[in-house]
Amino acid sequence: MNRSKLMQKLEELLMNALAALQTQIYDGWVIRFADGYTKRANSINPIYLSNENVKKIISNCEK
């Protein structure tokens, strides 16, 4: 497994270890909502390849 895939897999495992109340996928970015339950919740994680402009994704995620 190459380094990039290993990092992606580790990030996925860490996100699953600290579950959020709700999770959404937006163009390869994982958006997590948990009302402050854990420090990794209420976060946006760019895990997968994205096709959209980064600034547009960030703006949409902030909304």
Side-chain angles (χ1 to χ4, degrees):
M1 180 179 292
N2 67 36
R3 184 179 177 132
S4 174
K5 286 289 185 188
L6 177 60
M7 296 302 291
Q8 180 180 359
K9 185 65 176 174
L10 287 173
E11 189 66 25
E12 289 173 352
L13 290 170
L14 290 168
M15 284 191 301
N16 287 326
L18 298 168
L21 296 175
Q22 183 181 8
T23 301
Q24 295 179 0
I25 304 293
Y26 176 67
D27 195 44
W29 292 38
V30 180
I31 307 167
R32 298 162 42 88
F33 306 94
D35 199 28
Y37 178 68
T38 67
K39 293 182 189 220
R40 291 186 62 86
N42 296 327
S43 64
I44 302 168
N45 302 280
I47 303 294
Y48 308 106
L49 292 177
S50 177
N51 296 314
E52 205 169 304
N53 177 284
V54 172
K55 289 183 180 182
K56 183 178 178 185
I57 294 173
I58 292 171
S59 175
N60 287 334
C61 289
E62 289 176 337
K63 293 175 186 171

